[in-house]
Amino acid sequence: MSVKPVTEGQEKWLNTLAERARGTFWDYIGCEVMEASTAKVVLRLQAQQHHLNVIGIVHGGVLSSLLDNAMGLATMLLRPNENTVTSNLNVNFVAPMKAGELIVTAEVIHQSGRTLTCTGKIESSSGVLGTIGTGTFRVVTPITSIP
């Protein structure tokens, strides 16, 4: 994982998250962390054939998942000792995205108590804005065991 400088604690937390992500949906979709701090998260995806829908553009579910992943990571960096989950995700598809490099940027814009609100966007490597979104995340009690 190639990440721009963050604090030592954040770097350790990112490494822990990278380990936990092995074999999960994050790993399956192919996200790569480019930058991660409490101020901003930047992910990259090399969109390939299997990310496309039947009309040849990146599937909306992939784009939504990228926003969710980036915003979720932003919340985890702000609340490293707590678990956050998505409670609401709003996505606007403003231009079709094609196979190739996609850049996802997200940041937390508000937090109070157990709720965090984020914004995010996805652009092509040439700077074409394809998707924008907002997300609300909730701090939850960790699940200690599953019955």
Side-chain angles (χ1 to χ4, degrees):
M1 168 175 4
S2 166
V3 180
K4 287 187 178 179
V6 293
T7 68
E8 187 176 320
Q10 288 171 335
E11 187 171 4
K12 185 177 179 182
W13 179 235
L14 283 171
N15 290 335
T16 300
L17 288 175
E19 272 302 308
R20 291 163 124 185
R22 289 195 206 296
T24 67
F25 186 70
W26 171 282
D27 198 27
Y28 178 77
I29 206 168
C31 296
E32 182 182 352
V33 178
M34 301 304 299
E35 180 180 343
S37 70
T38 55
K40 178 171 72 169
V41 167
V42 180
L43 305 180
R44 175 172 60 188
L45 175 73
Q46 189 63 39
Q48 301 173 33
Q49 181 66 34
H50 64 274
H51 294 112
L52 307 182
N53 63 20
V54 296
I55 63 171
I57 59 176
V58 179
H59 192 284
V62 172
L63 297 169
S64 298
S65 294
L66 289 171
L67 285 172
D68 190 34
N69 283 343
M71 291 188 279
L73 180 55
T75 66
M76 287 187 268
L77 286 166
L78 275 176
R79 303 283 188 101
N81 299 314
E82 299 173 292
N83 292 322
T84 59
V85 296
T86 311
S87 59
N88 187 44
L89 184 65
N90 295 301
V91 181
N92 293 81
F93 305 102
V94 297
M97 304 303 294
K98 300 182 191 264
E101 184 179 66
L102 302 179
I103 306 298
V104 188
T105 307
E107 62 182 316
V108 175
I109 59 169
H110 182 262
Q111 62 176 316
S112 64
R114 299 172 62 87
T115 304
L116 297 96
T117 304
C118 303
T119 60
K121 66 180 180 176
I122 303 175
E123 297 176 300
S124 69
S125 58
S126 62
V128 173
L129 177 64
T131 310
I132 56 175
T134 58
T136 304
F137 293 77
R138 184 93 175 135
V139 176
V140 296
T141 305
I143 298 173
T144 52
S145 64
I146 299 174

